[in-house]
Amino acid sequence: MSNETLTPSTLRPSYVEPGKDFDRDTNYIEDRIALDGRDGWPVEPGRYRLVAARACPWANRTAIVRRLLGLERVISLGMPGPTHDKNSWTFDLDPNGVDPVLGIERIQQAYFARFPDYPRGITVPALVDVPSGKVVTNNYPQITLDFETEWADYHRPGAPDLYPVALRAEIDEVANLIFHDVNNGVYKCGFAGSQKSYERAYGTLFSRLDWLEERLTNQRYLVGDTITEADIRLFTTLARFDAVYHGHFKCNRNKLSEMPVLWAYARDLFQTPGFGDTIDFEQIKKHYYVTHSDINPTGIVPAGPDASGWLTAHGREALGGRPFGDGTPPEAPLESERVPAL
């Protein structure tokens, strides 16, 4: 992506367009950090910083993969606060509101350092080149795949294979269905601009959740007998379902906790090192209920639901499976990256 392809534009101030379906802009900065440095960004320990807000489900994926593979040693983590304005996410959780590595107040500054007047959404996750302060990519589906493949030389001993070659076609197929119908499906409900578009998205979402309920009845994980990229992509939506999507996005046919198989599956992953230890329910709720002022103009953040249920027994071990395959669980999170205990 080059400067010549971009023109100045203002960022969209609202998430809902009356009378229209929600249409996510999936045009991302497609540069990749690769072993061969094909786009000018070679794999290099310590060079890049992952900016990934706790609140964001797309960013949450990258934080989980980074943890599971042990990439904390080679890719640092910057964490914006849970809320943002129409311009970008800010580092309001850091001292003086400045990211301690990048020295910026907003992730927007990293985008503009590379593309002045960047015209699209200033999104997380984003990988930033620390020496130049320029954003490299915000292409979140590719970021995790590259963590799993291009960064393999820097995986921790015992890191799981989250994208096994023999299962990639099935992982990609399942992940694609989940993206359109579940990950993005909840947003299609919440940001629907008409009753008709909402009801269409609602039907698609719950049909897919029913399909997942059936698929996971007799197998512990989505593809194969170990945790893969597909499970990570589904988990971050399930983790936010009862806290946000059920009420805020009107995805209220039932709660996740009322779908016995999916609820047990989600708890199984939550209790697996690398998953629940990246989840901060208070930040998640504050992000959605405060930031989406067009659908929650009061800005009131719900006190519930009680999150302690995530720690209850799930019984999924009876289905067999090996969470990390031939690998091992990750070590405890870095002290600076720990989330509040439930």
Side-chain angles (χ1 to χ4, degrees), residues 121-174:
I122 306 294
T123 60
V124 293
L127 280 164
V128 179
D129 177 50
V130 175
S132 68
K134 296 178 179 179
V135 67
V136 176
T137 182
N138 62 344
N139 188 0
Y140 65 87
Q142 191 62 50
I143 288 173
T144 51
L145 297 182
D146 285 345
F147 280 179
E148 292 153 4
T149 55
E150 300 296 323
W151 288 84
D153 290 345
Y154 299 97
H155 291 178
R156 65 178 174 86
D161 187 353
L162 301 174
Y163 198 47
V165 173
L167 297 176
R168 285 182 186 178
E170 187 177 0
I171 291 170
D172 291 346
E173 178 184 8
V174 171

Side-chain angles (χ1 to χ4, degrees), residues 223-305:
V223 181
D225 69 347
T226 64
I227 292 167
T228 68
E229 174 79 14
D231 298 293
I232 295 163
R233 295 190 180 197
L234 177 58
F235 172 77
T236 59
T237 296
L238 297 183
R240 290 156 175 78
F241 201 90
D242 286 5
V244 176
Y245 303 142
H246 178 269
H248 185 58
F249 278 176
K250 307 178 184 69
C251 301
N252 62 354
R253 190 195 74 178
N254 51 259
K255 298 175 181 177
L256 172 66
S257 57
E258 295 167 344
M259 302 188 77
V261 173
L262 273 175
W263 176 222
Y265 164 82
R267 299 200 316 278
D268 186 5
L269 290 177
F270 185 90
Q271 294 169 33
T272 299
F275 284 83
D277 55 34
T278 69
I279 298 294
D280 186 323
F281 286 112
E282 292 308 311
Q283 286 200 37
I284 288 169
K285 289 191 296 182
K286 187 173 182 180
H287 166 66
Y288 285 92
Y289 284 100
V290 173
T291 302
H292 301 159
S293 57
D294 45 355
I295 57 176
N296 186 43
T298 66
I300 294 172
V301 179

